[in-house]
Amino acid sequence: DNPRRTVVSRFRVSPKDPYRADPQNEVILLEIEQPYSNHNGGCVAFGPDGNLYIAAGDGGSGGDPQNFAQNITSLLGKIIRIDVDNPQSPLNYGIPSDNPFIDSLNVNIRKEIYAWGMRNTWRFSFDSNTGWLWAADVGQDAWEEVDIIQNGKNYGWRCYEGNHTYNTSGCNSIYEYPIWEYSHSLGASITGGYVYHGPSVPELNGKYICGDYV
């Protein structure tokens, strides 16, 4: 709080304990101002390409009232991708050369964006066989969705909740729809999961296994 924000930081391992981070070595990579107290964070993970992927919620309240998820000058409602190994001054990170807006001359467009139109991707994971990025995006009032995240795609929120229109005011883009959705008759807050590849339960091999919080 004061100001409310999400902080992504890097820490070094303590020289005295290899299982502990040294709080004195914090380097703040990225800060995102948060307008409300919900939808403030999600998953952080390194991808097969070595870049850091960050799921940022739409900033909260209900229905994304300021339409942050569709606004590419904001990092809210996005999947962010940064290169932590090759910082580009004055940033403490680099922008991967194939991020979708890397060549934009508009200085207000956030070059860290990898994909947008997300509501609150609480968890995502990379398929260990294909490298695909599977994301569970929490719905509003009626539909939960599973997406395969691709570079430069718009996943529709707040224009769409799953495959269904939600608030189409000002919506005129091309959207990538979920590969699967379910209604709130089954659950109400998808958590995310993993694609299973293993010998123990062969009938689940290649299946996406996820949970729901409600």
Side-chain angles (χ1 to χ4, degrees):
D1 285 333
N2 194 29
R4 183 185 292 118
R5 66 205 184 280
T6 291
V7 180
V8 179
S9 293
R10 182 182 69 208
F11 293 87
R12 292 188 178 276
V13 173
S14 168
K16 299 179 180 179
D17 184 347
Y19 299 103
R20 185 181 300 273
D22 184 348
Q24 303 303 315
N25 285 322
E26 180 183 20
V27 175
I28 294 177
L29 300 178
L30 190 63
E31 292 188 87
I32 306 171
E33 292 187 13
Q34 296 287 352
Y36 304 103
S37 60
N38 60 328
H39 292 189
N40 295 158
C43 190
V44 178
F46 286 100
D49 57 5
N51 291 310
L52 184 65
Y53 290 73
I54 303 160
D58 65 7
S61 188
D64 193 6
Q66 299 175 63
N67 205 17
F68 283 123
Q70 290 297 314
N71 181 356
I72 57 175
T73 68
S74 169
L75 291 179
L76 296 171
K78 310 298 188 295
I79 301 294
I80 299 164
R81 181 174 68 161
I82 59 176
D83 180 354
V84 300
D85 293 319
N86 299 288
Q88 300 166 350
S89 183
L91 304 174
N92 286 328
Y93 54 87
I95 307 294
S97 60
D98 60 341
N99 273 15
F101 301 115
I102 187 69
D103 294 325
S104 174
L105 299 180
N106 185 336
V107 296
N108 295 314
I109 292 176
R110 298 303 300 259
K111 312 305 190 291
E112 299 93 337
I113 294 172
Y114 183 74
W116 69 103
M118 317 304 299
R119 184 169 182 267
N120 193 46
T121 304
W122 179 240
R123 289 292 180 266
F124 63 75
S125 62
F126 292 92
D127 186 322
S128 59
N129 279 18
T130 65
W132 291 358
L133 173 52
W134 291 72
D137 202 27
V138 178
Q140 178 70 40
D141 299 318
W143 297 94
E144 305 298 301
E145 70 180 75
V146 177
D147 300 299
I148 293 180
I149 302 299
Q150 301 176 64
N151 190 354
K153 296 294 181 69
N154 180 347
Y155 288 82
W157 176 252
R158 70 181 184 181
C159 302
Y160 286 83
E161 181 186 10
N163 289 306
H164 312 268
T165 57
Y166 181 82
N167 181 349
T168 57
S169 175
C171 297
N172 56 4
S173 185
I174 297 173
Y175 305 107
E176 189 74 15
Y177 294 97
I179 63 164
W180 192 61
E181 65 173 10
Y182 62 89
S183 75
H184 282 194
S185 65
L186 297 179
S189 184
I190 191 168
T191 302
Y194 298 87
V195 177
Y196 177 79
H197 298 289
S200 299
V201 191
E203 61 268 30
L204 293 182
N205 195 52
K207 306 292 187 184
Y208 179 70
I209 313 298
C210 62
D212 188 287
Y213 183 68
V214 179

